[in-house]
């Protein structure tokens, strides 16, 4: 089958690789219907995280189950399924607590499982899915093709934006600022709106992304950054700042922006993968009682809540995809996102 | 009048100083009935924070109002009052949000107010209280003398322990570990119990403090620290750790202990004044979804909730005081706490 392989910074190729197979009785094999490129995939692409040898890449996909192991009972051949960006059993103490990213038996795509067997990345024609009963979420029936982009966001970006909002405690009447206008930041705007925020400021300098943010529920746009951005945000909220700030970038600068923008006693919900050695400035946080909550989003736990609204058309996070390419053009997908010609690219095998 | 002055590390003296007076129409003068030494007072005492010139010290007191300015309407001469460890108006946006430590017009004892006039520390015979209508909380009638230690804890340690528990989201059925067995840590145990925690582990190596912790509601004691302590705590909670960890020390080690003890998705409520340059390890927090929330406790906002239970005798945080001395022996009070001969010392002018 064909799958995307990264060999070095800016060296992305779609190559012939071995077909996946059911190796454990809890495995399934899924034929990928749609996959995409994640902001975090740009890190090895840009060389921020080194690539020492060729490896498979990708971790967001939806597809059709083609084969299941003998112990798989919750998904069947032919099911349309959503896969989160990791695999998990959904039965261990952490999964039951809502934190399936800390599954005691789980792991990550494009890496060996706990038996040492390689698990495919998601940017390919097929994927071996460990712990299929926990990992995969089957939709009721086969969804309308027009819903596929939005369903695909439940694999990562919509669930991640939702996690930022939930972690910050967004609820009815909350005031919110969102740092980051990538796909996750835009989904965080949508999540905040969905959870009842009364005012949502999107920090963005790009007209196209500002337009999506407004469509998703942003009431205000702030283009300034740094100290100027903080001052502008505070000004919009009685001079003290909003209740909740959703940090959706992952740099030291963006986290600093978030922590200094929240009102005293406010909460930063952060989901940007921490990039570099930035740590949280506890003196600042202590003095202002601004908390930080979040992390790698347990999106599998959120599918049950978000899916019905995607299926009935009331939640349309798929608008974050502004480019669609065949899998064979994965290299162009990376380049388009790297050069900010696209916010998020959907790939079809 | 007499007041405590620190001139250098380990140089604490009770000296004659100028009597306080009403300087602004919003001021009151309070005669101190009981004051105490805070764990944070030990930092200048130990030289951890430098003392460059003699200065007044102390920030926890209860007393009787002796004089009020012309704009004071909520407290009257003769009222018994509780003062938080800072002053605040209770009317600004931050105070109304429950974060009176970030009062837009407030400040700290033993420092100049915004007019540049010096405000007394609390370890003296009298205190000039700015913004008296906001800062002071009068009790209904004059309380029984036996209640004074517990009332005094509402000035800082009980409110601070409560803030740790509230910040960590402790509620009915929560599982909790408390890092730190000083007065604040012990009060955090009591606060967690009061808020309905089902299991509370106190980390303590001192038999006397363990006994108070048990009296306050601790169900288990862990004496180990570091990696061993973390392993022991996780073991007590299904191998994954408790929902909430209350950090009541403020060192890099104690915060690390707290962040690594909480279960994935758990929350650290921290109130230990950050000591030194420790920052929060975001990579660890991101991976486990353990949040950090808390800071300098807005104890003034908590008096209304906690006071009735102190007055009816159902809440007895005053047990943390294990030594009582006359104000004239303030130097011995510091020495006793520094040498861990006492957990917390009450001073009577």
């Amino acid at each position: 089958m064909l799958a995307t392989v990264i060999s070095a910074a800016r060296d992305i190729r779609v190559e012939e690789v071995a077909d996946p197979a059911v190796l454990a009785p809890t495995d399934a094999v899924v034929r990928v219907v749609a996959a995409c490129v994640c902001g975090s995939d740009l890190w090895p692409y840009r060389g921020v995280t080194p690539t020492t040898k060729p490896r498979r890449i990708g971790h967001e996909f939806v597809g059709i189950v083609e084969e299941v192991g003998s112990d798989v009972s919750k998904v069947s051949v032919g099911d349309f399924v959503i896969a989160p960006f990791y695999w998990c059993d959904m039965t261990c103490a952490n999964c039951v607590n809502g934190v399936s990213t800390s599954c005691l038996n789980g792991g990550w795509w494009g890496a060996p499982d706990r038996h040492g067997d390689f698990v495919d990345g998601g940017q390919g024609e097929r994927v071996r899915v460990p712990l299929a009963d926990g990992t995969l979420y089957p939709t009721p029936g086969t969804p309308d093709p027009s819903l596929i982009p939005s369903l695909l966001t439940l694999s990562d970006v919509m669930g991640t934006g939702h996690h930022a909002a939930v972690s910050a405690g967004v609820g009815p009447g909350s005031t919110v600022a969102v740092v980051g206008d990538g796909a996750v930041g835009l989904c965080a705007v949508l999540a905040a709106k969905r959870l009842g925020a009364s005012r949502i400021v999107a920090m963005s300098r790009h007209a196209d992304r500002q337009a999506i943010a407004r469509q998703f529920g942003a009431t205000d746009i702030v283009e300034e950054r740094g100290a100027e951005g903080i001052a502008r945000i505070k000004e919009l909220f009685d001079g003290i700042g909003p209740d909740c700030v959703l940090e959706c970038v992952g740099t030291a600068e963006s986290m600093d922006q978030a922590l200094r923008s929240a009102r005293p006693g406010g909460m930063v919900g952060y989901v940007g993968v921490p990039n570099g050695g930035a740590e949280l400035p506890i003196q600042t946080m202590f003095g202002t009682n601004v908390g930080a909550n979040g992390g790698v989003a347990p999106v599998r736990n959120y599918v049950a809540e978000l899916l019905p609204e995607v299926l009935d058309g009331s939640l349309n996070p798929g608008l974050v995809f502004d480019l669609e390419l065949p899998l064979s053009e994965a290299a162009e997908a990376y380049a388009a996102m790297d050069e900010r010609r696209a916010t998020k690219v959907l790939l079809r095998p």
Side-chain angles (χ1 to χ4, degrees), chain A residues 151-223:
Chain A
L151 292 167
L152 180 56
T153 68
L154 300 183
S155 186
D156 188 339
V157 289
M158 181 61 208
T160 296
H162 179 68
H163 187 55
V166 168
S167 298
V170 175
S174 296
T175 54
V176 178
V178 178
V179 179
D181 64 356
V184 171
L186 294 170
C187 286
V189 169
L190 184 60
K193 175 71 178 173
R194 181 181 169 277
L195 291 166
S198 60
R199 192 167 185 184
I200 305 168
V201 179
M203 302 194 74
S204 172
R205 294 179 162 183
H206 304 90
D208 51 342
R209 299 180 184 203
Q210 291 175 4
I212 298 178
R214 291 230 183 244
Q215 202 170 342
F216 279 179
T219 53
D220 303 82
I221 303 286
V222 165
E223 297 204 345

Side-chain angles (χ1 to χ4, degrees), chain A residues 113-179:
Chain A
D113 65 15
R114 64 194 177 121
H115 306 295
D117 293 320
F118 177 74
V119 181
D120 306 83
Q123 293 165 9
E125 291 184 304
R126 282 183 197 78
V127 174
R128 177 172 80 87
V129 176
L131 305 175
D133 272 347
T135 306
L136 298 174
Y137 196 104
T139 59
T142 301
D144 187 89
S146 68
L147 296 176
I148 284 174
S150 285
L151 292 167
L152 180 56
T153 68
L154 300 183
S155 186
D156 188 339
V157 289
M158 181 61 208
T160 296
H162 179 68
H163 187 55
V166 168
S167 298
V170 175
S174 296
T175 54
V176 178
V178 178
V179 179

Side-chain angles (χ1 to χ4, degrees), chain A residues 9-344:
Chain A
R10 297 178 199 280
D11 184 354
I12 292 277
R13 299 180 208 183
V14 177
E15 298 177 356
E16 191 67 32
V17 301
D19 279 324
V22 165
L23 301 180
T26 49
D27 283 354
V29 170
V30 170
R31 177 171 61 77
V32 175
V33 168
C36 50
V37 180
C38 182
S40 68
D41 291 334
L42 295 182
W43 292 15
Y45 182 78
R46 290 171 175 161
V48 177
T49 52
T51 299
T52 53
K53 54 182 183 182
R55 68 174 180 87
R56 300 272 287 283
I57 190 166
H59 55 257
E60 297 165 72
F61 62 96
V62 294
I64 304 280
V65 177
E66 281 199 337
E67 192 185 346
V68 295
S70 56
D71 286 355
V72 174
S73 62
K74 296 187 176 167
V75 293
S76 309
V77 171
D79 281 356
F80 185 95
V81 289
I82 296 160
F85 62 84
Y86 52 91
W87 70 82
C88 54
D89 63 16
M90 289 302 279
T91 55
C92 77
N94 289 330
C95 284
V96 169
N97 277 334
V99 197
S100 53
T101 38
S102 290
C103 177
L104 298 172
N105 303 302
W108 311 95
W109 307 114
D113 65 15
R114 64 194 177 121
H115 306 295
D117 293 320
F118 177 74
V119 181
D120 306 83
Q123 293 165 9
E125 291 184 304
R126 282 183 197 78
V127 174
R128 177 172 80 87
V129 176
L131 305 175
D133 272 347
T135 306
L136 298 174
Y137 196 104
T139 59
T142 301
D144 187 89
S146 68
L147 296 176
I148 284 174
S150 285
L151 292 167
L152 180 56
T153 68
L154 300 183
S155 186
D156 188 339
V157 289
M158 181 61 208
T160 296
H162 179 68
H163 187 55
V166 168
S167 298
V170 175
S174 296
T175 54
V176 178
V178 178
V179 179
D181 64 356
V184 171
L186 294 170
C187 286
V189 169
L190 184 60
K193 175 71 178 173
R194 181 181 169 277
L195 291 166
S198 60
R199 192 167 185 184
I200 305 168
V201 179
M203 302 194 74
S204 172
R205 294 179 162 183
H206 304 90
D208 51 342
R209 299 180 184 203
Q210 291 175 4
I212 298 178
R214 291 230 183 244
Q215 202 170 342
F216 279 179
T219 53
D220 303 82
I221 303 286
V222 165
E223 297 204 345
E224 295 86 346
R225 289 187 191 172
E228 212 183 335
I230 293 166
R232 185 82 189 90
I233 294 246
K234 288 203 174 283
E235 189 185 302
L236 287 171
F237 297 98
D238 301 327
I240 60 172
D243 304 325
C244 307
V245 181
L246 313 186
E247 194 290 310
C248 305
V249 180
T251 62
E253 294 71 29
S254 62
M255 183 55 98
D256 184 71
Q257 178 96 52
L259 289 168
R260 293 181 201 276
S261 296
R263 70 161 171 83
M267 182 65 89
V268 171
Y270 72 100
V271 292
V273 184
N275 185 350
E279 310 234 309
L280 300 181
I282 192 169
Q283 297 281 0
T284 301
M285 296 168 69
F286 183 84
T288 57
N289 273 284
V290 170
N293 192 29
V296 53
V299 300
R300 174 61 180 79
N301 295 86
Y302 296 135
V303 177
E305 177 177 348
L306 301 173
L307 178 61
E309 296 172 38
V310 169
L311 291 175
D312 74 16
S314 58
L315 193 67
N316 294 296
L319 291 170
V320 297
F321 291 105
D322 50 1
L323 180 61
E324 193 174 314
L325 293 170
L327 174 64
S328 58
E329 292 179 35
E332 165 57 11
Y334 278 76
M337 281 179 61
D338 176 46
E339 295 160 19
R340 292 186 180 271
R341 287 184 279 118
T343 302
K344 194 161 177 77

